[in-house]
Amino acid sequence: MSLSTSPRSADLEPAPGFTVGFDLDMTLIDSRPGIRRTYLALAEETGVFIDADLAVSRLGPPMAEELANWFPAELVPAMADRYRELYVELAVEPTPALPGAADAIEAVRRLGGRSMVVTAKYGPNAQLHLDHLGLKTDLLVGSLWAEGKAEALREHAAGVYVGDHIGDVRGARAAGAVSVAVATGPCPAEELREAGADVVLTDLTAFPDWLAAHRAPGASGA
């Protein structure tokens, strides 16, 4: 299967010494405010009740899976298209970066590596967040979830994948990458450990020090 990547990936040089992948929602960004606004707007437009607070408490899986809780299966593709349209207008501006996000990406670059985002989010909308917040990753791959993320991670030789959900842990393990989990999303630290995360951090502010140790001469990840 051919992966859909952001336009900037076309001019990349061959991968340097290592590549680190990051999830987006609740790993690099707190997407709850924007997603909540989008669900509420879709509910108002369609007249269908959506519990937006419940929806944003379980972010991670593809958006269509959430919509299937509120719309008949035959309407989900059309509702997903409309959601993505509303998202551009409503969700980008109110969505902040999570603590340590920019520093985590910069830590990869400072050590000579390449950073990529692998997310279940629709790629063009994910790119809007990165651009709005000035988060400069080298590559973006969208519309991949859980074990599906392993395809992009393997293709781009990512040795580390950072995420907040047990689905991210599964994707990292399927790719043979080190799974670094951050407890900033819907999955508590113990659940992430039980899912097989190699490392569990409170948030991304701890990532630069971890990465420096992981890449130090003689360390297992160097």
Side-chain angles (χ1 to χ4, degrees):
M1 183 177 76
S2 175
L3 296 174
S4 174
T5 59
S6 64
R8 71 177 62 178
S9 67
D11 299 324
L12 286 174
E13 295 296 324
F18 67 102
T19 299
V20 175
F22 293 91
D23 177 49
L24 184 65
D25 288 0
M26 304 312 300
T27 298
L28 290 174
I29 65 174
D30 183 351
S31 51
R32 292 172 296 183
I35 290 175
R36 184 178 185 277
R37 286 181 66 183
T38 306
Y39 278 131
L40 290 175
L42 185 64
E44 182 176 6
E45 184 177 291
T46 61
V48 173
F49 173 73
I50 300 173
D51 188 335
D53 292 320
L54 176 60
V56 300
S57 74
R58 54 190 184 194
L59 298 179
M63 169 263 298
E65 292 188 17
E66 182 63 46
L67 290 174
N69 294 313
W70 314 105
F71 294 94
E74 65 271 15
L75 294 182
V76 168
M79 292 301 99
D81 288 343
R82 182 57 181 148
Y83 173 96
R84 293 185 186 106
E85 293 170 353
L86 292 167
Y87 193 96
V88 173
E89 176 184 351
L90 299 173
V92 176
E93 187 277 332
T95 295
L98 281 165
D103 288 343
I105 294 168
E106 179 56 31
V108 177
R109 183 174 295 109
R110 186 167 57 247
L111 292 173
R114 185 172 70 159
S115 62
M116 65 185 297
V117 168
V118 185
T119 175
K121 191 181 293 296
Y122 179 56
N125 287 354
Q127 188 67 63
L128 290 175
H129 283 296
L130 297 178
D131 292 343
H132 177 70
L133 296 170
L135 298 176
K136 300 186 183 301
T137 61
D138 298 296
L139 179 67
L140 165 67
V141 183
S143 300
L144 295 178
W145 164 239
E147 288 85 355
K149 294 185 175 187
E151 182 176 356
L153 296 172
R154 287 193 300 263
E155 180 176 333
H156 298 285
V160 174
Y161 184 60
V162 186
D164 66 282
H165 197 282
I166 59 172
D168 299 322
V169 176
R170 285 156 44 197
R173 293 181 66 84
V178 175
S179 172
V180 177
V182 286
T184 48
C187 300
E190 187 57 34
E191 185 177 3
L192 294 164
R193 291 189 189 95
E194 290 176 355
D198 297 296
V199 179
V200 179
L201 306 175
T202 301
D203 58 33
L204 284 177
T205 61
F207 180 76
D209 286 345
W210 175 84
L211 183 64
H214 179 69
R215 298 295 303 173
S220 61

